[in-house]
Amino acid sequence: MSETKKTLVAVAIEGTLLRTGGIPLLDEVNSRLYKKFNSSVAECYEHPEYLKEVLQEVFGEAHHEITRIIVKELTAFNYDDKVMQFIEKVNY
């Protein structure tokens, strides 16, 4: 696995959360990821299902908008199959 891709995905997630709700929102998502899965945003590249579940808890149906923004950022880079698999898992 490429650390660069993992970092890019984490930055896209963190940036989206920071723009949406600032540090408190990023802290809330990281806190829930840690409590439920002993994980963090940085680990979501390997486990997009963790992110999807936490975003659904935090945002309800509005989680689709957050994922849309994350996906838009990542697809702008035309990444390979592994990143596209992440996008598919978190987006659906």
Side-chain angles (χ1 to χ4, degrees), residues 4 12 24 31 58-59 61 63 76 83:
T4 302
S31 175
V58 173
F59 292 101
E61 283 301 310
H63 82 279
V83 173

Side-chain angles (χ1 to χ4, degrees), residues 25-76:
L25 178 59
L26 178 59
D27 288 346
E28 175 67 19
V29 169
N30 263 319
S31 175
R32 287 181 187 230
L33 284 166
Y34 184 77
K35 287 178 186 173
K36 290 191 81 152
F37 304 108
N38 196 31
S39 190
S40 68
V41 167
E43 300 303 314
C44 288
Y45 180 71
E46 287 104 6
H47 300 284
E49 67 276 9
Y50 296 174
L51 178 65
K52 182 176 181 176
E53 186 172 326
V54 168
L55 291 178
Q56 287 172 333
E57 288 177 8
V58 173
F59 292 101
E61 283 301 310
H63 82 279
H64 294 293
E65 181 61 21
I66 302 300
T67 8
R68 186 190 65 75
I69 296 167
I70 294 167
V71 167
K72 184 178 178 182
E73 287 192 25
L74 291 173
T75 54

Side-chain angles (χ1 to χ4, degrees), residues 2 4 8 14 31 80 89:
S2 168
T4 302
L8 180 68
E14 290 174 353
S31 175
D80 65 8
K89 287 180 182 177

